[in-house]
Structures are given as structure tokens and as C-alpha cells.
Amino acid sequence: MGPSVALPTKEAAVLRGHEGAVLAARFNHDGKYCLSCGKDRTLRLWNPHNGLHIKTYSGHAREVRDVAVSSDNAKLSSCGGDRQLFYWDVTTGRIIRKFRGHDSEINSVKFNEFAAAIISGGYDRSVRAWDCRSHSMEPIQIIDTFGDSVTSVAVTKTDIVAGCVDGTVRTFDIRNGREVVDELGQAVNSVALSNDENCVLASCLDSTIRLLDRASGELLQEYKGHDNKSYKMDSCLTNSDAHVVSGSEDGNVIFWDLVDASTVASFKAHPSVVTSVSYHPSESRMLTASVDSTVRVWKS
């Protein structure tokens, strides 16, 4: 642990343009830009540092629930209520490919390491992998061992980690197909990896965030004090892995100390539910998204 960095609790910009709830906000990989998506069926690209809206991506027929950015920042993937995965060119705004194959709404999308594949999870109790370079609409892999809706996926070089309403976090080794199940006993609505990839952070619908050791499945810590009983809501770690951050259904954002789970900061970020948080890859900056139709940028 280096010297403690001030946490981003000061509002730097408000990104306005979405009509209705914003369901996810994400920094791109170098943190220069960010993306948001929501109930108005669009994705939007912004410069979060000056608050400018750059581009709108339209094509989904229903709400857009998640967006992912490729590691080279050139491509996007999005998913949502229309059961389709869209693969976009960031610069032109063109839809390169549409993947259909989920039987119901898709909740979560990620690119794999080299953005060669897109991983998605949805209400049809499955995780599916899609080859970005192939013209086939069929998934290259289907994992359907879940007992309920898959709310969230995270991806490492070797593993797919998925959170499920059945109260489990499941890890699939892409190389050998081995599946490891961690039972949390509470519906999981978000999974995120620590930056060193040694831990999984799982938000659960009992207003508790749980930190798991990825190797052993051991429950390392629990974080409480926010309100999360009915909404899908992100949590994440700061870029130093020193703190856990989450929104809350009352509009607050809370920072906890990773190790002892004490509340380090708590502030009112939005007038109502905070759906999404995204932490800048290197600076003390953060995005929050809300059902209030805004994305807010926070600095220290």
C-alpha cells in the first residue's frame, strides 16, 4: 500500500442526454472516454473530463443493460432487453455484427482478453461466448449449469466468472472446462474482479457485498451500509484495490476499506437509485449512473 489517495467524492461533471434510467456507465481502457447505456435504447460516448457528448449509438429495440469496451478502445459490445448482442465500431458507429442466441433478456457483457470473443450472461440461465471474427451467429460456447438468471460476468485470461440469482458465483476454466461453484446463499447481482485478479467482489441482494478469494473460494470480507434489495447494481474496487465502492438504492455512494470493511466515505451522488459505478484505470476519478437519467463524474 502506497500513500493514501484522496477518494473521488467531488462532482466534476454531469453527463446529460439519456432519457430515462441509465443502467451502466464504463470508462474505456485508458480512461480518456466513457460509455453509458440505458432505458432509452441507446449507448452514448462521452468525454468525462470536459463533460462533452461525442456520439450516440442506436439500434437496440429495447433497453440497453450493459456495455463493454475492447482493450484497444476500437470496438464496443452491448446487450439488453431485445435478447441481442451488438458488436460496434466505436468510430463509425456501425454495427459490425448482431449475435442472437439468448432466449431472454441479456444482463451482462464483457470482452475476453484480446477482444476476440464476447462473453454474455442472461435471464435464460446461461453464459454464452461469441467469436467476434466469425460470421456465424451461433455461440462458440454455452454454459447452462445455472439455477436461475445470470446477472453479471467477469473475464480473466483463463476464466469466466459469473454471478447468479441462484446465490452462486461460478468460475469456469476456459482451458479445461472445469467449473467451481461458490455458494453465497443470496442472489448475486454483480461480480467484479480485483485489479490483481486474486479476488472476486460479489454484490448480493441482501444489501451485502462479499469478497471472495478466487483460488480457495474463502469469504474474506463483507461490506454493508448501502441499500440493495431489488435493483441490479455494480460494485467495484478502486484502481489500487485499497477500497470497495458501490452505489445504493437511496442515491448514496459508499467507499469501504478493503481489509477491515469500515466505511471510509459516503455521500449523496444522485437523488435516486445508483445503478452503476466505474473506476478510472489510473486516476482518482469515478463514474456513477442512476435512474435519474444522468451519469456523474467524480474527482478527488
Side-chain angles (χ1 to χ4, degrees), residues 22-39:
V22 184
L23 300 176
R26 310 271 179 253
F27 276 111
N28 73 345
H29 285 266
D30 59 15
K32 290 195 174 110
Y33 298 98
C34 70
L35 281 130
S36 59
C37 61
K39 277 273 168 67

Side-chain angles (χ1 to χ4, degrees), residues 1-110:
M1 288 285 303
S4 79
V5 176
L7 294 169
T9 58
K10 298 190 189 81
E11 189 178 284
V14 182
L15 311 182
R16 299 184 196 276
H18 278 289
E19 294 172 33
V22 184
L23 300 176
R26 310 271 179 253
F27 276 111
N28 73 345
H29 285 266
D30 59 15
K32 290 195 174 110
Y33 298 98
C34 70
L35 281 130
S36 59
C37 61
K39 277 273 168 67
D40 64 5
R41 308 175 182 186
T42 68
L43 302 133
R44 286 165 195 260
L45 176 69
W46 314 81
N47 178 331
H49 306 287
N50 62 17
L52 288 179
H53 170 251
I54 301 164
K55 201 172 189 69
T56 297
Y57 303 83
S58 300
H60 278 285
R62 286 182 62 190
E63 84 281 355
V64 187
R65 297 190 180 184
D66 199 8
V67 55
V69 192
S70 63
S71 45
D72 64 1
N73 298 317
K75 305 287 193 295
L76 302 176
S77 183
S78 59
C79 67
D82 62 7
R83 309 178 180 191
Q84 298 189 85
L85 278 172
F86 283 25
Y87 178 50
W88 308 79
D89 183 278
V90 171
T91 311
T92 64
R94 192 171 68 85
I95 299 166
I96 303 165
R97 207 149 292 133
K98 295 180 187 179
F99 295 109
R100 300 179 181 88
H102 276 283
D103 300 327
S104 194
E105 294 98 330
I106 310 172
N107 292 318
S108 182
V109 63
K110 291 285 186 300

